Each structure stands twice: as structure tokens, then as C-alpha cells.
Amino acid sequence: MEKIVDQEAAFQARIDAGEKIEPKDWMPEKYRKTHIRQISQHAHSEIVGMLPEGNWITRTPTLRRKVGLLAKVQDEAGHGLYLYSAAETLGISRDELFHQLHIGKAKYSSIFNYPTMTWADIGAIGWLVDGAAIINQVMLTRTSFGPYARAMVRICKEESFHQRQGYEIMLTLCEGTPEQKAMAQDALNRWWWPSLMMFGPRDAESPNTEQSVKWKIKRKTNDELRQQFIDITIPQAEILGITVPDPDLKWNEERQHYDFGEIDWDEFWQVVKGNGPCNKERLQARNDAWNNGAWVRNAARAHAEKRAEKERTAEAS
Amino acid sequence: MQKNERKKKEPQKQANLFTNYTIITNQYNMKGNPIWEVFIRSKNGLEHRHVGSLHAEDAKMAMENARDVYTRRQEGVSIWVVESKHITASNPSENGEMFDPAKDKAYRHPTFYDLPDELEHI
Amino acid sequence: MENKNKSLIDYLLILGDNSLILGHRLSELCGHGPSLETDIALTNISLDLFGQVRSYFQYAAELTGGEATEDTIAMKRVDREYRHTWLVEQANKDFAYVIGRQFLFDAFHLPLLEQLVNSKDEMIAAVAAKSIKESRYHLRFSSSWMERLGDGTQESHQRMQTAINDLYPFTYEFFEETATEKIMHEAGIGANLKTIETTYRQTIKDVFAKANLEIPSAPPRKTDGKKGIHSEQLGFILAELQYMQRAYPNMTW
Ligand SMILES: [Fe+2]
Ligand SMILES: [Fe+2]
């Protein structure tokens, strides 16, 4: 018992000193579990996030938009792959993580349970959702677990074009016809609050924050990150000439931050619990892809085994 | 004929509490599929560096996957893939005996040797 | 001059539409593949194809003049004006269809590009020179999956053979020379479909043998995609492809 306490103290000291933890290093069980949960949730968000945007790939208004969106959604598959790989270093398989997702046990970012109705939604997602994700991900490049931090560095590098693409889509709409601008405003209206919810519950309702700060999974609290997002996003909306759907939004000279209205936490928890507009469709799509692909994965395995067998007999003779 | 054909087993269906589709448990390889480590030379003259990992059933597939996943932005001119299980890694709990003994061998470094400042080309 | 341009534009459509419609079919799969790795790989192919489309159509727009752009050409024609072959518009019924369709197209596309790099038309030659490397990789990718599925499990073998049986009869159309292709070939701009066919047959033979698959003996399907006669699937493809341009005409995106 004593020994574990010492080990944990030494472990924490390494993190405090800014050292990275690598997969084979000793780590408290809780550190391992928390990381598996957090990294896989993050990975699930990347691949479930492909669905609402993927929905528009075949309908982009131009070819230029098509290659941009395709490349973006493809990047998200890559992000999922990097993150599942990072989780796998902790001794859990990608298949097991998929299983947790498919049975509805694992969580992913709730924002992807909202529908993409119009082309402007693709702009709004890139601008707001990728924007919010980037704030989180930049922070995570300095997290204590080495494979997670390295995946984040790679992801942040790729992510930078996503938000620019989204904003450019919005800008083009806002500089377009009144109909286009209305489409952009409507998208902002629908995506604004869910974007703010992406940072998670209020600090007071977020019991894991303290531990996460200790392990450098978090360097800022949910509320701090949310405030940071609002402060940088409002001026961007002003350039577009559209407004966020919050009557209480006001610059606070004293705080040097925007004040904003109350988030509908009931909606937040309802969507987390699975009652969002598209939760079922998203899980259905992931399950379908998995089930339809089973015979393909089996074939690849069988083929590889046949090959290996052939090589063995060729060597033996 | 195929020894490892998981399809042959009766599929174990597990009702999903969350939605109404079925999860076929033996479609999941819980022990994990072969993982490959990917190393990329970003340009000639530089060494290959580890960039990440992926899943593949054989070397050919690993090479193609590595190309598609890790060189989409002109990241490389050469790829190595190696199945993770073939890598032998040092054990962090032995880091003391493995790496600390090198710490006090300052004489291996040029600054250990005192030479006059005016001396050149050495 | 007028006439020559007309044939050239027509030829660019024949070249570009195959890549457009196949790229579209592949793009439907993004996020729905059997593994993340295959998802990423198929999207790469789709992106390569759309890149080719843009080059062909930008050139065609320039030749057409007026209001024409790559997008009006891609998205504002009516069904009868599309010039792709039937093979590429076949649906993603399962992964075997995706791979079979890709392989059959690649086996034709690569030797086509190998000829077009020598086209007397500099633009076409330049597009072909860029595309040829992409196509070489596509063929490598699709061939290795043909082998994997053809010589994998019993189920995969059956699915692969079924897909090929359905798709192969559409490929004869590649080699039926239209009037436009004849003019372009004689002008040294277009390819000689006869010699392509020889290379194509050899690739099919080699890969099918390795993949443990039989070359279907079914007779050619009587299709005229290059003349603008398409299957019933095209209308649905266009409903998506053209949706924005039709619903919100004359806007900038
Ligand atoms: Fe991402
Ligand atoms: Fe992103």
C-alpha cells in the first residue's frame, strides 16, 4: 500500500516537472482508465463527426467546395485513427473501443447529434465546431500522456485548414445574395448554443476537472475555455455581419470579456443521454458501416494468412 | 479451409440497450488486430522518423495504408512499416541501469577538454 | 476551328465525366467504409478523380467561352449531356462492387492516360501526365483488393465474383469508338482505343488469375453512355450533384 502511494507521488512529481508519460511507464490505474476513456471519446467524436458533414459531400455547390470538404472529412477519419492508435498503446484494442461506441456505451461529442440541413451548416461547423475543437486540442498538445500529446500535435497541424474553410464558406454566403446571408444566419442560430455546450458542463458541475488539471489533460477549466471561445468568435461574427442568437451577449469592460446568456443545460443533458435529434441515426450509421465491412475485414485476414502459409511452405521446400 | 474464419462460429447477437439494431459480438477482435508502426523519411538526406501506427493484415496492406494515411500532405519520400510485435522495447523500470551510467562520462563530450581560446580549427 | 473545338470539348466531357461520376460514387462512401484505413484510401482516389475533372472541365470551359465554368459543366448539364460509361455510375452495392468497379475502370484508365501523355493537345497531355501517377496507384490499390477479396474467404470470393459478373459486361463500352473519339484519335489528340483494349485484356487476365476469379463470359451489355444514354441511376446522382446549383441558381459559393 505504502509503495503504491510512493509510486503515485513519484508519478505526480514527474508530471509536475513537465515530463511526459509513455505507455510502458508505470502509471496509476486511474490514469490509464481516464486516458482510455478520454482519448477514445475524442476518437469517437472525430469519426461520428464525419457523418453530419459527409452528408453534404455529394451536394456541394461547386467542385472546389467538394474537394475541400472531402479532404476535411477524410482528415477527421485520420484524426480518429491517430487517436485510436494512442488509446491502443494503453492496452485496449480498437475493436473493443468500436464495440463500446456501437452499443451506445461510449460517449462522443454531442454536437454531432444535430442535423446538417443546409449548405451553410457546413460553413458553421467548420467555423464554430472545428474552432471550438481547436481550442481544446491546442491545450491538449501539452498534455502529460506522450502518445496523446503527439497525436494532438499532428491533428492541430491538419486542423488549421478546417476552420479557415468553414469561415470562408460563411464569408462567401454573407457576401452573397440576401437568401445566402439568411442561410448563414440561420446556421449560426442553430449551431451557436450547441457549440458553447461543446466545452462541457459548468465548472461547478464538472467533478473531474481537478484531477484532469493535475494530469495536465486540462490546463484550463470548461468555463475558461468557453469564455475564450466566445471572446474570439464574436468579432469573427461581426466581420461576417451576422449575430449570435443571445440577447444577453454584451462586452463587459470591467472583466474584459463578453458576458453571455444561460445555456440550456437541460437540452445539453438530454442530448448526452441519447435523446438529441440525430443520436440514433449516427449510431446506426456507424453500426451499419461496421457490420457491412465485417466480411471485408475477414477476407483481408484470411488472405494474409494464406499468403503467409504459402511463404512458409515455399521456404520449407 | 480457412482456419481462422470467424464467420463459421454462430454469430453471438447482443441486444443493444440503446437502439434497436443488433451487435454481432464476434465481429469484434477484442484482442486487437495487427498494428504496424510507420516510419517516414521526409526528404532524402534525413532519417526515417516514427510518425504513427495503423492496422493492416499484411505488409503490403500496411504499406498501402501508410501511404494513404500518412503521406497525404507530401510528408514523405520513403516509408518503412514494421509490425509492432517485432519491436523489442527497453523496459522503463530498468532505465536506471540502462541509461544513467552514461551520465557521468563527460569525457565523451568535446567541452570536457580545456583548450586555449585562441586555438582555431579544432 | 469552330468544329474542331466542338469535338475537343466533346472529348473532354467523355474523359472528364467518367472521373466525375466515379468520384461521386466514391465520395458517397466517405465515413462508411469497412475500416478507417480503407475509408481514407478510397477518399484519396475520389479526390484524385475530382482533381482530374477540374482540369478537364476548366479547359472545356475556356474553350466553350461565355459564362461556362468548371461548375456549370459539372452541374448544369441535363442527363442526356453526360458522357460517362455505365460502369462508373453503378451503385456501391457492397465493397466488392466498389473494388470491382474501381479495378475495371483503372485497368482501362491507365493505358488510356499512357496514350494521352503524347496527345497533340498540350493541355490534355499535361493533365494526363499528372493523372497517370495517380491512376497507377489506383490500379495497384484496386488490384491488391481484388486479390484480397477474390482469394480471401469463401464469402468474399463469392461476393467478388458476383460483382465482377455484374460489372464486367459494362466494360465493352470503353472500346466502342464514338464519332468524337474517332476524330480526336485521327487528329492525334485522342487515344487509340484498340491498343488500349489489348493492354486492358492483359491486366484483367493477370489480376483475375491472381485473385482466383473467372473472367465472366456474359455478352457485352448494349450500353451507350458515351452517347448520353444512361441507366436509371443517373437521375438520382444528378439530383444530389446538381442540387445546390439548381435550387439556388447563379450564386457564388
Ligand atoms: Fe478533427
Ligand atoms: Fe476538423
Side-chain angles (χ1 to χ4, degrees), chain A residues 187-199:
Chain A
L188 176 58
N189 292 349
R190 283 179 290 112
W191 291 94
W192 175 250
W193 291 109
S195 299
L196 298 188
M197 294 176 196
M198 279 178 76
F199 296 95

Side-chain angles (χ1 to χ4, degrees), chain A residues 28-47:
Chain A
E29 204 39 40
K30 199 171 164 222
Y31 182 88
R32 181 188 304 276
K33 286 222 172 95
T34 304
H35 274 81
I36 289 177
R37 184 166 39 81
Q38 161 134 2
I39 298 172
S40 62
Q41 275 181 19
H42 196 159
H44 299 327
S45 303
E46 300 283 352
I47 61 160

Side-chain angles (χ1 to χ4, degrees), chain A residues 34-76:
Chain A
T34 304
H35 274 81
I36 289 177
R37 184 166 39 81
Q38 161 134 2
I39 298 172
S40 62
Q41 275 181 19
H42 196 159
H44 299 327
S45 303
E46 300 283 352
I47 61 160
V48 175
M50 295 171 74
L51 300 168
E53 289 184 283
N55 178 32
W56 274 89
I57 290 172
T58 56
R59 290 178 293 165
T60 58
T62 67
L63 291 175
R64 178 172 178 270
R65 290 293 176 215
K66 194 176 298 286
V67 290
L69 181 60
L70 249 181
K72 190 220 177 204
V73 179
Q74 180 194 44
D75 270 354
E76 308 300 4

Side-chain angles (χ1 to χ4, degrees), chain A residues 24-25 74-75 81 88 93-95 102-103 154 158 161 283-284 287 290-291 294 298 301 304-305, chain B residues 2 4 6-7 16 18 21 23 27-30 32-33 35 53 55 57-58 70 72-73 89 92:
Chain A
K24 289 194 142 206
D25 293 350
Q74 180 194 44
D75 270 354
L81 193 155
E88 277 181 305
S93 66
R94 196 197 288 179
D95 277 22
H102 296 164
I103 63 173
R154 203 178 175 87
E158 299 188 354
F161 97 78
L283 277 192
Q284 185 73 55
N287 271 279
W290 180 259
N291 291 336
N298 290 341
R301 154 118 357 118
E305 277 166 8
Chain B
Q2 284 99 25
N4 201 11
R6 276 167 289 156
K7 283 255 136 175
N16 190 342
F18 201 77
Y21 40 74
I23 302 284
Q27 278 181 7
Y28 297 83
N29 193 3
M30 297 299 195
N33 295 305
I35 298 174
S53 22
H55 285 194
E57 294 296 341
D58 57 39
Y70 287 106
R72 304 199 305 282
R73 290 178 166 84

Side-chain angles (χ1 to χ4, degrees), chain C residues 99-160:
Chain C
I99 292 300
R101 186 184 61 202
Q102 191 63 42
F103 168 72
L104 293 171
F105 178 71
D106 295 338
F108 158 74
H109 197 206
L110 181 59
L112 171 72
L113 293 170
E114 275 165 348
Q115 287 205 17
L116 292 180
V117 288
N118 299 316
S119 170
K120 280 194 185 150
D121 186 288
E122 275 176 32
M123 282 297 291
I124 291 184
V127 178
K130 181 187 142 281
S131 312
I132 201 167
K133 296 178 197 161
E134 297 167 346
S135 177
R136 206 166 275 142
Y137 185 78
H138 301 172
L139 181 60
R140 170 180 164 165
F141 176 87
S142 58
S143 309
S144 63
W145 272 101
M146 286 285 287
E147 281 181 49
R148 235 165 252 140
L149 300 180
D151 190 23
T153 62
Q154 235 167 14
E155 181 186 6
S156 74
H157 175 78
Q158 228 155 49
R159 283 178 184 262
M160 199 63 245

